[in-house]
Amino acid sequence: MASPATLMTAAEDIPAAETLEARARAMIPALKERARRCVADRDVPAESIAEMRDAGFFRILQPRRWGGYEMHPNAFFNVQKALAEGCMSTGWMYGVVGCHPYEIALFHEQAQEEVWSQNPATLVSSSYQPVGKVTAVDGGFRLSGRWGFSTGSVHCQWVILGAMVPPGEPGGAPDMRSFLLPRSDYTIDRDSWHVFGLQGTGSHDVIVD
């Protein structure tokens, strides 16, 4: 199991923001060529995901201690805008999935280790709709439900899901939380994404049973 110390990105290995944007612009012709298939398949092609990974785009907001670049958000936004020039669905997907490394960095250190220690290139999707059923159990919570609009979920190994924790005392306020789950704890309904716009974002339903 890798540790943050072994994954720390050296400053000299972090590309300039302009270099990352140039890599994104270089992808525009290929994204335009794949756009029709992206819409037909209702998901971003796997080769586009692989190329974005190789270009370092998903590392822009990832902490350096986990192999990321820990860059200014503007570098992220400029890459997203360039990708969207080639394919709007791909740009949307990157804008959602690509910002999750920042959020994972706000989780407890143990959660970060579980997500990134085996593979720092691991991707995370989300659906923050507070629609899950939460039951308090010894040591934590039991979660179940169905969440829509989990963009890029097929390409991710973890998911962040929203849910309301019932109040612990009568008359108390519920607590809205984000739950982090590994792929083994949920399934994806790949036939749930039939929409008029942004068809290629792969925003499928996530089911926790």
Side-chain angles (χ1 to χ4, degrees):
M1 179 178 292
S3 68
T6 60
L7 294 172
M8 174 69 77
T9 306
E12 60 269 22
D13 294 331
I14 299 176
E18 294 78 10
T19 299
L20 291 165
E21 183 179 352
R23 291 175 185 173
R25 294 201 169 279
M27 284 184 62
I28 289 176
L31 294 177
K32 287 183 176 180
E33 183 179 342
R34 298 172 191 148
R36 188 180 298 273
R37 175 158 56 97
C38 182
V39 170
D41 292 345
R42 293 173 289 116
D43 204 355
V44 176
E47 56 262 49
S48 295
I49 300 294
E51 289 170 8
M52 287 190 282
R53 259 192 230 263
D54 293 343
F57 298 159
F58 294 109
R59 300 169 67 184
I60 291 176
L61 298 181
Q62 186 177 21
R64 287 182 58 197
R65 67 181 182 274
W66 290 113
Y69 300 154
E70 202 171 310
M71 300 180 76
H72 193 284
N74 282 349
F76 172 80
F77 298 141
N78 289 336
V79 166
Q80 181 190 14
K81 289 186 290 186
L83 294 174
E85 288 185 32
C87 172
M88 285 298 295
S89 289
T90 301
W92 179 281
M93 177 271 172
Y94 172 72
V96 174
V97 175
C99 70
H100 289 148
Y102 177 87
E103 183 174 4
I104 296 300
L106 301 177
F107 274 75
H108 189 278
E109 184 74 19
Q110 181 181 344
Q112 298 177 47
E113 290 179 0
E114 291 192 29
V115 173
W116 284 323
S117 63
Q118 296 293 329
N119 180 8
T122 294
L123 301 181
V124 182
S125 66
S126 66
S127 180
Y128 297 102
Q129 304 174 56
V131 297
K133 178 183 178 182
V134 180
T135 305
V137 297
D138 289 341
F141 302 99
R142 177 174 289 115
L143 178 70
S144 62
R146 184 182 186 113
W147 289 257
F149 306 101
S150 187
T151 295
S153 50
V154 169
H155 308 286
C156 299
Q157 293 74 49
W158 289 76
V159 68
I160 301 169
L161 298 173
M164 302 294 289
V165 177
E169 301 177 355
D175 182 18
M176 184 174 178
R177 297 198 184 187
S178 294
F179 291 81
L180 179 65
L181 285 75
R183 186 66 172 267
S184 58
D185 285 357
Y186 63 93
T187 59
I188 299 171
D189 182 356
R190 299 189 65 168
D191 196 40
S192 60
W193 189 239
H194 296 274
V195 292
F196 181 76
L198 291 176
Q199 298 99 321
T201 60
S203 302
H204 307 297
D205 287 7
V206 166
I207 303 167
V208 179
D209 185 0

